[in-house]
Amino acid sequence: MLNLSGKTRLYYIVGDPIAQVKSPAGMTTGFAERGLDAVVVPAHVSRESLADFFAGAKATRNVDGIIATVPHKFGAAEQCDELSERARFLGSANVARRMSDGKWFGDQVDGLGFVQALRDTGFDLRGKRALLVGAGGAGSAIAQALLDAGVASLGICDLDARRLDHLVGRLASLNLGAVSAASSDPAGLDLVVNATPMGMRASDPSPVRVESLTAGMAVGDVITAPAVSPLIKAARTAGCRTVTGLEMFACVARYMLDFYTD
């Protein structure tokens, strides 16, 4: 039971759309379990209004943090005064907090959460060949985390050629593994990740060629609604190891709570 009062600290999760997010209840419970009187509130904000939203949140003294979801992870980074090394490299932030001096500090923990969820299934990323669909905020974070975790090669697919080329070039500069633009056919690979919203609507095309999925592959999807995406359903039919968006976010949430309560 919530015991809201004037002392309750506010955290927003901001997105467009926002109805699909499952995190407000879980994050609020997580804060309570860590002894913090705080509540997480969803906010439906357009891309054009994000700067105004941040300005209002910064001016509201009992707002201590903002969680950014699609499509605001790049925009959230721009609204922070300081960024972690990881967020600065990616130009993306999915968490931001008010510091004691009033400045706002951002980080990007999507990739850490996805890699942890994959490791929780027993999958060893070292030396694996991976395909990632989506070069946006979540996709770029997952891409960096996969390379940090030791994948041997990473192919990235995105319809936005400019964004794709920029991410491939940035990641290649890390010299952590072979990085290249790729098609959406996962044939012969070890790991497939969908980091796009494709699959949220029944009319969406598949992010990858599902006919190429085979047993022994691991398949992950970042979307949380539906809980079992069409890609995950096809992967399970093919005998693949899977990570759903909800399983990923359970791990991401732990990193978020650490970020806000450290």
Side-chain angles (χ1 to χ4, degrees):
M1 295 291 293
L2 290 175
N3 184 25
L4 300 180
S5 73
K7 296 181 180 180
T8 301
R9 310 306 295 177
L10 300 181
Y11 292 78
Y12 286 105
I13 177 165
V14 58
D16 184 16
I18 198 64
Q20 79 283 357
V21 299
K22 305 290 194 273
S23 55
M27 288 291 293
T28 299
T29 299
F31 280 134
E33 290 172 347
R34 297 189 182 206
L36 188 64
D37 179 8
V39 62
V40 177
V41 181
H44 190 176
V45 179
S46 70
R47 194 191 303 266
E48 295 75 19
S49 300
L50 185 65
D52 290 337
F53 175 83
F54 261 87
K58 290 176 180 179
T60 307
R61 301 303 300 173
N62 61 338
V63 174
D64 285 349
I66 295 174
I67 300 167
T69 187
V70 176
H72 295 317
K73 296 177 183 181
F74 293 110
E78 295 173 355
Q79 297 301 317
C80 292
D81 301 296
E82 299 178 15
L83 294 170
S84 69
E85 182 179 351
R86 173 174 48 242
R88 188 166 54 253
F89 174 83
L90 295 167
S92 166
N94 69 331
V95 284
R97 70 182 183 222
R98 187 193 303 272
M99 298 188 291
S100 59
D101 61 2
K103 293 182 179 180
W104 281 68
F105 176 73
D107 198 1
Q108 170 54 273
V109 298
D110 279 334
L112 300 178
F114 179 79
V115 165
Q116 186 57 55
L118 196 55
R119 284 173 171 158
D120 287 347
T121 72
F123 188 76
D124 186 355
L125 285 155
R126 291 172 297 181
K128 298 298 192 297
R129 299 159 298 168
L131 169 65
L132 172 72
V133 182
S140 59
I142 291 172
Q144 184 188 30
L146 291 175
L147 291 168
D148 285 340
V151 298
S153 66
L154 176 63
I156 306 174
C157 176
D158 194 283
L159 295 177
D160 187 328
R162 183 177 178 181
R163 183 168 70 176
L164 173 62
D165 290 344
H166 176 73
L167 179 60
V168 168
R170 291 282 287 158
L171 294 173
S173 71
L174 296 175
N175 295 315
L176 293 175
V179 185
S180 63
S183 75
S184 60
D185 188 348
L189 300 178
D190 305 303
L191 171 64
V192 181
V193 185
N194 174 41
T196 77
M198 284 189 285
M200 291 179 63
R201 299 174 297 184
S203 60
D204 286 343
S206 174
V208 303
R209 180 178 170 83
V210 296
E211 294 83 2
S212 296
L213 298 176
T214 58
M217 291 181 178
V219 178
D221 202 330
V222 304
I223 69 171
T224 58
V228 178
S229 70
L231 175 60
I232 293 296
K233 186 177 296 185
R236 290 177 176 175
T237 299
C240 303
R241 184 193 309 258
T242 62
V243 170
T244 68
L246 290 176
E247 290 166 338
M248 168 188 163
F249 189 77
C251 293
V252 171
R254 292 198 292 271
Y255 284 104
M256 287 181 171
L257 289 167
D258 288 344
F259 174 80
Y260 287 125
T261 60
D262 183 4

